[in-house]
Amino acid sequence: MATINATPKSSLSDEPLKIRVTGLKPSQLMTIQASLTDEKGVLFQARAFYWTDKKGQVDLTRDAAKGGDYSGVQPMGLFLFLKPEKPFSRLMKRDVINSPYEVHLDVFDSLQLVSPSQEQSLASQTVERWYTAPGVQRILVRHGRVRGALFLPAGKGPFPGVIDLFGGVGGLTEFRAGLLASRGFATLALAYFAYEDLPSVLGPIDLEYFEEAAEFLLKHPQVRGPRLGIVGICKGAEIALAMATYLPQIGATVCINGTNAIYGYPLYYRDLCIEPIPYKSECVLIIEQGVVSFFNLLEDPRAKLHQESILPVEKARGKILLIVGEGDGNYNSKAFATKIMERMKKLGRTHCALLSYPNAGHLIEPPGSPFCYQSWLPVVARPVLWGGEAQAHAAAQVHSWREIQKFLHLHLGPTQSSSL
């Protein structure tokens, strides 16, 4: 009798599973399929084709998939390569406290190019993938102008503090903050537009808003100072770099696929105003299936008239980690990061490091997030190209997530990590 055993049955979404199938015939061609339905009712699936060994078994930590949504030895391939049934959907957990993703694993005989009926399943199991560990608290934040959600780790604090910023998706995105809290960081998922009474659209950046958020976090009794960390992606990485440059409260900054200058909208901080490099909207490309590519939207900051828009990152008091997907279809992220590193070297500064991943795309997220090549972006009401190659991107997420935690531990102090 066929069985599938995935352990642990309940885990954090960034933790690897061990998946093993037994009870089949020797040298039998079989299909393993993973399925989950997100909070919007969209079905995501991945399947892979394997030959059993002489004992009628398949071990995903050992055996290579011959085809399907991925190939080769990919212990977590069924999760990393989940694809949406509805085009341009992106898997992004919203309720990170009260419910996990339930992932259904099924074994089918032979090669199944399309999803078979459940009745044809030879063996099945359901696993839970959580975004917060037991004991993690979520506290909704409405403090002064600051809007967001604070995630406090389980156990006795105080804990190192981190501010988590996303980009053009807007609203309040919490899944990475929940995972960071599960790894011992008191993390503020910070909204800055398209949420509650904040501006409805992205516009001028008031850095004092972000300083207010930093002060709020540092004053919390469960947060250990004297400095904070920041993790930002896309526009959030641009803001994170500005915070690192100008705010004394920042000790460790992670910028994922960001820029080296202020783009699109001016940045204000006290008596400082940085005029932006204008977006080149006429250079936006509309490619297959109406997908928009913003790769040429951002003008080269090296032009003389743009020098005042470049962030003087050498002024940063803390450490900076730049993370780049060289296959980013949204930004020329490698070029921006290279310019930052060249500026630092020229000025004799050594507090900046670069992790660059060949063929990884824009949305480098924790390992529980499947590769997303393109997805719908509400602020432009069009699908947007994020780029990357699936297997390289998946590997980049696993490695960078580990390096982000090491970097924050090193520069903010030790934590107490949790698991299910």
Side-chain angles (χ1 to χ4, degrees):
M1 179 180 177
T3 60
I4 181 169
N5 184 33
T7 55
K9 293 181 180 179
S10 184
S11 61
L12 289 171
S13 67
D14 62 351
E15 294 177 348
L17 301 183
K18 293 182 178 179
I19 302 173
R20 189 165 173 258
V21 178
T22 60
L24 296 175
K25 297 176 183 178
S27 301
Q28 179 178 347
L29 180 62
M30 48 87 78
T31 298
I32 306 180
Q33 177 177 277
S35 307
L36 74 80
T37 301
D38 75 2
E39 292 145 307
K40 292 184 175 181
V42 177
L43 175 66
F44 288 76
Q45 288 187 323
R47 64 182 62 85
F49 314 131
Y50 291 87
W51 287 101
T52 62
D53 63 15
K54 61 183 179 181
K55 295 182 179 180
Q57 301 178 359
V58 170
D59 185 339
L60 270 63
T61 64
R62 174 197 68 193
D63 300 324
K66 301 305 178 183
D69 287 301
Y70 62 93
S71 62
V73 179
Q74 296 277 354
M76 291 298 293
L78 292 170
F79 297 80
L80 298 175
F81 301 104
L82 286 163
K83 296 176 181 175
E85 185 178 59
K86 180 182 178 182
F88 310 127
S89 297
R90 176 181 172 189
L91 190 65
M92 194 162 61
K93 194 74 171 74
R94 285 161 175 82
D95 180 359
V96 300
I97 285 284
N98 298 305
S99 64
Y101 277 138
E102 292 188 343
V103 185
H104 304 284
L105 302 173
D106 288 283
V107 177
F108 299 100
D109 183 32
S110 190
L111 184 149
Q112 305 290 340
L113 289 175
V114 296
S115 182
S117 64
Q118 190 64 38
E119 290 74 21
Q120 294 176 261
S121 176
L122 302 177
S124 64
Q125 182 181 342
T126 298
V127 296
E128 294 180 343
R129 303 289 279 172
W130 288 86
Y131 284 80
T132 50
V136 169
Q137 300 178 60
R138 177 187 183 271
I139 302 168
L140 195 63
V141 175
R142 297 186 180 96
H143 179 85
R145 295 187 298 161
V146 177
R147 301 291 180 267
L150 175 61
F151 290 82
L152 294 176
K156 184 179 180 180
F159 309 98
V162 174
I163 294 175
D164 190 30
L165 296 170
F166 278 77
V169 67
L172 182 60
T173 303
E174 304 179 25
F175 68 88
R176 190 168 60 200
L179 287 171
L180 283 168
S182 300
R183 299 306 176 198
F185 299 97
T187 307
L188 175 62
L190 183 62
Y192 55 99
F193 77 99
Y195 180 74
E196 292 192 347
D197 57 350
L198 295 174
S200 59
V201 295
L202 183 61
I205 303 299
D206 178 5
L207 204 60
E208 290 183 52
Y209 170 79
F210 299 89
E211 185 172 44
E212 186 178 336
E215 287 295 332
F216 160 78
L217 192 55
L218 279 170
K219 289 176 181 177
H220 195 283
Q222 287 292 88
V223 174
R224 183 177 71 221
R227 292 186 181 180
L228 302 172
I230 318 172
V231 179
I233 186 170
C234 193
K235 188 68 175 182
E238 179 183 307
I239 295 170
L241 195 63
M243 293 174 72
T245 301
Y246 294 110
L247 303 188
Q249 300 93 336
I250 308 306
T253 302
V254 179
C255 296
I256 305 169
N257 288 325
T259 66
N260 68 328
I262 300 301
Y263 276 90
Y265 305 97
L267 180 140
Y268 297 99
Y269 180 59
R270 299 180 181 176
D271 58 352
L272 173 71
C273 174
I274 300 179
E275 293 296 336
I277 301 173
Y279 291 139
K280 298 191 298 179
S281 302
E282 71 278 11
C283 295
V284 170
L285 295 178
I286 302 173
I287 55 179
E288 296 86 356
Q289 299 179 289
V291 174
V292 172
S293 171
F294 289 128
F295 190 81
N296 297 318
L297 179 70
L298 305 185
E299 193 169 349
D300 191 329
R302 289 176 295 185
K304 284 187 177 181
L305 69 163
H306 298 324
Q307 293 305 295
E308 296 301 315
S309 301
I310 296 175
L311 288 166
V313 289
E314 67 278 3
K315 294 182 179 180
R317 297 166 177 81
K319 302 292 185 178
I320 300 170
L321 176 63
L322 307 173
I323 294 176
V324 164
E326 295 180 15
D328 187 347
N330 190 57
Y331 283 179
N332 190 355
S333 302
K334 180 65 181 292
F336 291 126
T338 299
K339 291 179 179 69
I340 293 172
M341 296 302 292
E342 289 173 350
R343 182 184 183 103
M344 289 293 202
K345 183 178 179 180
K346 181 179 178 181
L347 296 173
R349 303 304 303 272
T350 59
H351 58 281
C352 190
L354 170 62
L355 291 176
S356 190
Y357 297 98
N359 299 318
H362 186 71
L363 295 179
I364 297 177
E365 296 178 337
S369 299
F371 171 64
C372 182
Y373 183 74
Q374 54 196 19
S375 69
W376 187 264
L377 190 62
V379 295
V380 296
R382 298 293 293 265
V384 172
L385 176 69
W386 305 120
E389 186 275 322
Q391 298 204 25
H393 188 91
Q397 291 196 153
V398 171
H399 184 266
S400 64
W401 185 238
R402 183 169 62 245
E403 294 302 309
I404 288 169
Q405 293 176 69
K406 285 169 58 178
F407 174 79
L408 294 174
H409 286 148
L410 179 63
H411 300 297
L412 299 178
T415 63
Q416 297 176 349
S417 184
S418 303
S419 60
L420 296 183

